[in-house]
Amino acid sequence: MSEQKLFSFRNPWFGASVGVSGAIAVLAALAGLIWLPMVQPDLKISGIWDAICSAAGVPRTVPRSGGAQQPDFKTSNVVMTSQMLTHPDQVSIGRGATLAQRCAICHGPQGVSDANSPNLAGQYAAVTYKELNDFKAGARVNAVMSPFAANMGNRDMLDLAAYYSFLPRVPSSHLNDNAPAPQIVITGAPMRNIAPCGACHGDIDIKAGSPWLGGQSAVYIKAQLKAFASGGRRNDISQQMRNIARQMTAEEIDAVALYYEAQP
Amino acid sequence: MLINKRLILAHFWLAFVVFGLALILGAWQMFVRSPLNAWHFNPELYYRSVTAHGSAMGYVFPTLIAMGFGYAITESALEKPLIGTRWAWAGFALVAVGAVVAMIPVSIGLASVLYTFYPPMVGNPFYYIGVVMVVVGSWIWVALMSINLSIWKRENPERPVPLAMFANVAGSYLWGWTAVGAALEIIFLILPVALGLKSTIDAGLARVFFSWTLHAIVYFWLIPTYIAYYTIFPRAIGGRLYSDAMARISFILFVVVAMPIGMHHLFADPQVGAGFKFMHSVFTGLVALPTLLTVFTICASAEIASRLRGGSGAFGWVRALPWQNPIMLATALSLVMLGFGGAGGLINMSYQLDASIHNTQWITGHFHLIFGGAIVIMYFAIAYDLWPHLTGRALENFGLMRAQLWLWFIGMIVTTFPWHYVGILGMPRRMAFYDYANPAISPQAFSVAISTVGGLILLISGVLFFVVLIRGQMAHRSEAGAYRFSVPVHMPERIPVALNSFGLWLALMVGLTVVNYGYPIGQLLVLKETNVPAVYVGASR
Amino acid sequence: MTTESDPHLGEAVAARIERRWATLSIAIVGVLVGMAIFIGIDHATMPQGHVETADPKTLHLAGEFIESNLGSAMEADGSVTVRAIGQQYSFTPQCIVVPSGTPVTLRATSADVVHGLLIEGTNINTMLVPGYVSELPVQFKAPGEHAMPCQEFCGIGHQGMWGKVKVVDKATFLGMMASQRRLSCVD
């Protein structure tokens, strides 16, 4: 082949390709980083340097008039993540077992209730912890639970959550493995913004902070769904459960409650 | 001269088996999400299937085709045995094992994150490890292509690199570099989280890394198809290639401008500045160039062949083309789909028009038409063309091949045109099911039902394809002769060194990548507060 | 095709035709890029002009994306700001109400994974990436209702993530606004 040198300005291919690529890049940069942002009225650009920074993607906060509208009710202040309390340690479980004696009247000595209070045995630790926290903070209110939670320290709540998650789940006396799942459980109702229950509650996948529902008392599930729907309960972060419950019909709420009660 | 026939056949067979399985999943997905199904099923199965379909079709199938075809080109174009056969087998094994490692967690529902990964959702680590193995296996191929070319050049200092090999190596370099983006995303962002070493991830940065791979990977899929256009098609129809130099320029343009354009997938993303989006948009326009040049060269080559056969008239020559030849048919159908797909692509690349179709079913339609249609139909053609040389047995049932190709074309059109249409109506993609009874989306139901029929046609075509290949494996022995590529009309006496080597183009490829990606990546790397908690999918109860 | 007997002449013709086509191709690309610039300037439809961050873990604790601040707010200049979040598997507010013929700024972010916000029947379409705020200026021509699906795979419940946008005429909107600081059409 030719002895021509490749990387040399005497090679027309080199000059042309580098020149053209460079020119396109420079022109595109000038247009994209300076010209276009300068003519965007919404951006309120103060100068060339500002335009470049903004278009290059340097994070900035746009000053806004007026503060955020503050809530007139208490909201949950728990920071939920998917990793939260997934590996409770033995010491914590042991401490939780001692503390749990106080809870046994309603929630049962083995975390299984006969009194339509929620079963806690085998519940995800993050869920129990979050609810205790919300009772304590006043984001969730219950005549019996709120005073209990008010006196708990953070450590107590963590230990209780760890202990209950350690206990094995016990199927309810209404267990019926063959109960057909209602349509609302399997597929939800997409256009009403109802995802399948199991997408969050553990049957299919878990969304952090969503409780396991199997074997839970139907009375309890129904009461909570109604409370979410009416806005009586508002400790679900950013309305994640209210958005769903408010779209459910009374029949669907009944069907879901009965179905989950019969699940292991 | 094909020596390592078993190696090449192994690649093609594994590729097509993977393709066949993924095709079945695809057809199933189309059915279950259509109004023809009563959607009383667990949506997780759908996402599981999409993950498997996408990973198989996007990562495994075209990679194996490019590898197998690359080895075939190396031996036949350079007229010498492949150097590094053991390494080639090792690469094949890595891809095969990687595919299995990735598919196990997917098939048991532990990694339903789709093949585009979508952090901060994080699935089972073996899914990502499997994908990395596939990529590493293909990098062995990249290295082998480079080594074989440079040894040949040393031995033949006076001869121009054969076009097929030049294009093949261009494709391998493009893949080598573009795969780096997804590899960085997996190795440095996702895997540490999947393995539990870290619990946060910058989803925005991950998307930028993925866009580095996401667009140029399409050109990697495309290059075997373009090689077939340039070096198989003119020969197969008894003609000559219009221009050797233009072909080289087209492949070079792919190497240089396929990379710095990926952010047009991020036009609607909040983590990248508008200026860089604009720069990527401009370069995206440029990547239309090699395709426009190719369409011209291929049509001109067809015209040459036709006139050699006695075709005449301004358009009358089209009739004189050898339409009974499957390669002719496949190329024509491929170009039609490329035309429609390309026109749609011009809309996607446009900074503003993209907003009306971003992440709608339009996009699904677009890339199925380009990849599943224009590209894959040429993979069939490549297989039909190569098979007799690989098996030493003739493929004789042209009628069956033509039926298969027609069905694939019709199936693809019937599938993707309705998708484009419902995309314009605003139908979001990647959903397990839709409540078509709702008046807000009921106008989309009919089109979706039609597209399902397309899926069925594609499935039938896929079955016919296997029938052709399997019958070919059992046919009588016949000597196919040496495997040859098209000869240009005017064989260039001298080729400028720039059109015969890659140094300059690789430098430009890397340089432009740095220009267009350097700052956005660097800035997101520095930004620590945007590391967000991972959301594990498929977590145990 | 040429039928010249001199191969060099034929080659020259071939090269000339090829050059013309290449020039035409470059012109096509030039026109496309020019169009993008023109629309960017003339209609000011450009991607988001700046990058802004927000911590998805603590959206509900403080700042502009707390629950009580979500929804439509009236600005002093007569425009409307809509704030929304995407989360698995709903938007909050689930139903957004906006006036027609009024400049609206949509500000949204994600509380967990990547979501997308698409308003059918319009070209309003943006990604919600956790850690970043998406902002886009929009305007609705006429009153009506639009479906607002999440357009990006966000988990197993993705197909159930459909919100709504209700466009009302300006007078109705102002009437609704009179009794509330933040507005949505969630019942």
Side-chain angles (χ1 to χ4, degrees):
Chain A
M1 289 314 300
S2 72
E3 296 303 308
Q4 212 175 10
K5 272 196 72 174
L6 185 56
F7 290 93
S8 151
F9 279 103
R10 270 206 246 133
N11 182 343
W13 288 90
F14 176 79
S17 60
V18 173
V20 169
S21 312
I24 292 172
V26 168
L27 289 176
L30 285 176
L33 294 170
I34 299 175
W35 188 21
L36 286 167
M38 292 289 273
V39 297
Q40 299 299 302
D42 304 325
L43 271 180
K44 303 178 187 76
I45 295 293
S46 60
I48 287 187
W49 186 242
D50 195 25
I52 294 175
C53 288
S54 175
V58 177
R60 57 184 220 159
T61 31
V62 181
R64 314 231 133 240
S65 55
Q69 178 74 15
Q70 293 305 315
D72 51 10
F73 57 91
K74 290 256 174 40
T75 54
S76 177
N77 58 11
V78 179
V79 174
M80 289 301 308
T81 67
S82 173
Q83 292 82 17
M84 191 175 185
L85 306 182
T86 42
H87 302 290
D89 64 87
Q90 287 303 319
V91 180
S92 183
I93 293 169
R95 278 208 50 192
T98 315
L99 290 167
Q101 289 167 359
R102 281 187 277 166
C103 318
I105 311 159
C106 297
H107 293 284
Q110 290 304 312
V112 180
S113 162
D114 302 318
N116 296 331
S117 307
N119 298 332
L120 299 178
Q123 188 56 273
Y124 306 119
V127 172
T128 310
Y129 173 74
K130 174 178 180 294
E131 296 309 318
L132 286 171
N133 232 305
D134 287 350
F135 280 123
K136 184 180 165 84
R140 184 177 176 185
V141 182
N142 177 284
V144 183
M145 264 320 288
S146 296
F148 265 102
N151 297 320
M152 285 185 197
N154 194 46
R155 174 83 198 266
D156 298 341
M157 296 191 277
L158 286 171
D159 294 341
L160 274 170
Y163 169 67
Y164 280 118
S165 75
F166 162 80
L167 289 180
R169 283 178 194 144
V170 181
S172 78
S173 51
H174 299 276
L175 178 70
N176 176 6
D177 270 333
N178 301 320
Q183 174 98 358
I184 194 78
V185 167
I186 298 178
T187 59
M191 298 305 286
R192 279 187 283 145
N193 197 188
I194 303 174
C197 310
C200 296
H201 288 283
D203 332 19
I204 305 173
D205 209 344
I206 300 168
K207 175 176 160 85
S210 315
W212 177 257
L213 298 175
Q216 215 57 268
S217 128
V219 175
Y220 176 72
I221 295 177
K222 190 172 162 180
Q224 296 312 311
L225 281 172
K226 287 193 158 163
F228 278 127
S230 68
R233 181 175 166 188
R234 297 189 283 202
N235 70 319
D236 54 326
I237 294 170
S238 300
Q239 304 207 42
Q240 50 188 274
M241 195 62 215
R242 274 168 286 170
N243 282 341
I244 295 165
R246 113 167 44 90
Q247 298 289 335
M248 293 172 78
T249 63
E251 293 75 36
E252 284 167 348
I253 289 179
D254 283 344
V256 164
L258 288 171
Y259 170 75
Y260 273 108
E261 184 179 52
Q263 293 307 299
Chain B
M1 134 170 182
L2 290 169
I3 312 292
N4 286 292
K5 293 177 182 172
R6 281 187 55 211
L7 174 75
I8 298 163
L9 260 183
H11 279 82
F12 275 97
W13 264 123
L14 182 60
F16 288 128
V17 166
V18 167
F19 158 80
L21 295 173
L23 179 65
I24 296 170
L25 291 179
W28 177 79
Q29 286 156 216
M30 290 179 67
F31 171 71
V32 293
R33 70 206 287 279
S34 78
L36 307 176
N37 180 37
W39 57 282
H40 197 83
F41 70 101
N42 178 350
E44 199 274 330
L45 292 175
Y46 175 81
Y47 299 118
R48 204 185 284 194
S49 177
V50 176
T51 309
H53 173 83
S55 306
M57 291 293 205
Y59 299 139
V60 185
F61 168 52
T63 306
L64 283 167
I65 295 283
M67 291 167 74
F69 192 35
Y71 295 135
I73 290 170
T74 308
E75 296 201 325
S76 48
L78 301 185
E79 295 172 314
K80 59 182 294 213
L82 178 76
I83 297 162
T85 317
R86 280 194 190 171
W87 281 101
W89 277 111
F92 174 77
L94 259 179
V95 174
V97 174
V100 173
V101 167
M103 280 308 123
I104 290 173
V106 171
S107 57
I108 50 182
L110 298 180
S112 300
V113 292
L114 308 199
Y115 86 113
T116 33
F117 307 141
Y118 293 128
M121 279 190 279
V122 174
N124 186 285
F126 285 101
Y127 171 59
Y128 307 105
I129 291 171
V131 172
V132 170
M133 286 169 74
V134 170
V135 171
V136 172
S138 70
W139 278 343
I140 294 180
W141 166 75
V142 174
L144 285 177
M145 291 301 98
S146 178
I147 291 166
N148 276 277
L149 177 68
S150 62
I151 291 176
W152 183 88
K153 277 176 90 168
R154 212 180 308 140
E155 293 167 352
N156 299 274
E158 294 306 317
R159 290 170 64 191
V161 177
L163 174 61
M165 188 61 183
F166 186 81
N168 172 39
V169 176
S172 78
Y173 284 144
L174 177 62
W175 171 241
W177 180 241
T178 194
V180 168
L184 290 174
E185 180 195 5
I186 293 183
I187 293 168
F188 292 105
L189 298 181
I190 299 180
L191 260 183
V193 179
L195 292 169
L197 307 172
K198 253 182 82 187
S199 63
T200 61
I201 188 166
D202 189 326
L205 177 62
R207 288 174 69 80
V208 172
F209 275 133
F210 196 72
S211 81
W212 166 333
T213 295
L214 185 56
H215 201 73
I217 197 175
V218 179
Y219 297 106
F220 164 62
W221 299 339
L222 192 73
I223 279 185
T225 293
Y226 273 41
I227 295 177
Y229 285 169
Y230 280 109
T231 69
I232 294 180
F233 167 71
R235 183 260 295 148
I237 62 168
R240 292 188 156 209
L241 177 63
Y242 184 80
S243 165
D244 179 85
M246 203 49 109
R248 287 170 197 262
I249 291 174
S250 296
F251 287 105
I252 286 169
L253 278 171
F254 276 130
V255 170
V256 175
V257 294
M259 261 311 303
I261 64 175
M263 278 188 195
H264 70 251
H265 291 253
L266 305 181
F267 280 165
D269 274 40
Q271 78 276 18
V272 181
F276 282 97
K277 290 176 184 170
F278 181 79
M279 291 178 70
H280 282 245
S281 174
V282 170
F283 280 93
T284 311
L286 289 182
V287 88
L289 269 184
T291 294
L292 289 169
L293 297 179
T294 300
V295 169
F296 171 80
T297 308
I298 299 313
C299 292
S301 304
E303 187 177 344
I304 292 171
S306 168
R307 295 202 192 272
L308 286 172
R309 296 163 57 92
S312 61
F315 294 101
W317 59 267
V318 174
R319 248 178 298 138
L321 286 169
W323 288 104
Q324 73 290 348
N325 181 335
I327 308 295
M328 175 69 229
L329 182 65
T331 305
L333 298 177
S334 171
L335 284 175
V336 170
M337 292 189 278
L338 188 70
F340 283 120
L346 292 182
I347 296 193
N348 310 343
M349 64 148 255
S350 148
Y351 216 30
Q352 292 92 359
L353 289 177
D354 176 66
S356 50
I357 42 89
H358 173 74
N359 261 347
T360 65
Q361 199 64 29
W362 167 288
I363 302 296
T364 325
H366 168 72
F367 70 76
H368 276 83
L369 191 52
I370 289 271
F371 177 47
I375 295 176
V376 169
I377 205 167
M378 289 310 287
Y379 290 181
F380 297 150
I382 291 169
Y384 289 158
D385 197 55
L386 260 176
W387 228 247
H389 298 271
L390 294 174
T391 60
R393 295 163 196 272
L395 283 188
E396 280 163 340
N397 198 337
F398 279 20
L400 195 59
M401 291 184 213
R402 284 200 304 272
Q404 187 267 324
L405 295 168
W406 269 114
L407 282 177
W408 191 260
F409 172 75
I410 295 168
M412 208 35 95
I413 297 288
V414 175
T415 299
T416 57
F417 277 38
W419 281 357
H420 279 86
Y421 173 66
V422 293
I424 294 173
L425 296 183
M427 180 180 184
R429 65 194 278 210
R430 304 192 185 102
M431 280 191 173
F433 42 69
Y434 302 80
D435 181 2
Y436 297 102
N438 190 289
I441 61 170
S442 57
Q444 300 162 9
F446 180 71
S447 305
V448 179
I450 295 291
S451 75
T452 310
V453 176
L456 184 66
I457 299 173
L458 290 173
L459 196 57
I460 296 169
S461 173
V463 170
L464 286 187
F465 177 67
F466 282 98
V467 170
V468 172
L469 289 196
I470 292 167
R471 281 172 68 173
Q473 293 278 14
M474 297 185 301
H476 64 88
R477 291 209 160 269
S478 83
E479 185 43 57
Y483 191 69
R484 297 196 186 288
F485 298 100
S486 315
V487 181
V489 179
H490 302 286
M491 194 64 196
E493 286 150 27
R494 293 184 64 246
I495 290 187
V497 61
L499 296 188
N500 202 45
S501 64
F502 288 101
L504 173 58
W505 313 118
L506 295 182
L508 273 177
M509 169 176 88
V510 174
L512 285 173
T513 309
V514 170
V515 168
N516 275 11
Y517 270 105
Y519 181 80
I521 289 176
Q523 186 214 293
L524 292 174
L525 274 174
V526 174
L527 205 59
K528 289 290 174 231
E529 72 257 33
T530 48
N531 282 326
V532 303
V535 174
Y536 292 97
V537 303
S540 69
R541 294 177 178 184
Chain C
M1 284 304 96
T2 58
T3 49
E4 283 92 341
S5 48
D6 179 356
H8 290 291
L9 202 60
E11 198 170 348
V13 172
R16 194 172 69 229
I17 300 173
E18 206 168 68
R19 259 201 308 278
R20 280 189 197 153
W21 175 258
T23 313
L24 179 67
S25 304
I26 292 169
I28 292 174
V29 170
V31 167
L32 289 171
V33 172
M35 258 163 52
I37 297 179
F38 174 76
I39 303 173
I41 290 167
D42 196 58
H43 297 276
T45 47
M46 294 289 286
Q48 185 170 339
H50 66 281
V51 172
E52 231 182 303
T53 61
D55 183 357
K57 296 191 298 291
T58 57
L59 294 178
H60 61 295
L61 299 183
E64 67 171 303
F65 293 105
I66 56 172
E67 187 187 324
S68 50
N69 198 42
L70 299 176
S72 311
M74 205 73 212
E75 298 296 334
D77 61 0
S79 72
V80 170
T81 300
V82 176
R83 289 186 186 80
I85 63 155
Q87 62 195 347
Q88 288 176 326
Y89 296 102
S90 61
F91 296 104
T92 299
Q94 194 174 31
C95 179
I96 290 173
V97 61
V98 285
S100 59
T102 310
V104 175
T105 305
L106 180 62
R107 286 176 62 78
T109 187
S110 163
D112 39 39
V113 300
V114 178
H115 298 278
L117 189 157
L118 164 76
I119 302 182
E120 292 197 354
T122 72
N123 61 356
I124 300 165
N125 197 335
T126 189
M127 302 300 302
L128 308 182
V129 179
Y132 304 87
V133 178
S134 301
E135 178 179 307
L136 67 166
V138 303
Q139 176 129 207
F140 294 85
K141 284 198 194 85
E145 254 190 54
H146 301 269
M148 182 175 71
C150 167
Q151 39 81 332
E152 188 61 286
F153 176 66
C154 58
I156 306 308
H158 167 53
Q159 73 290 335
M161 189 164 167
W162 290 73
K164 237 184 242 151
V165 173
K166 222 175 243 172
V167 186
V168 297
D169 65 62
K170 204 163 179 179
T172 315
F173 184 82
L174 290 175
M176 294 162 86
M177 206 72 222
S179 56
Q180 272 170 305
R181 302 281 305 277
R182 296 290 179 269
L183 212 54
S184 74
C185 38
V186 172
D187 13 279

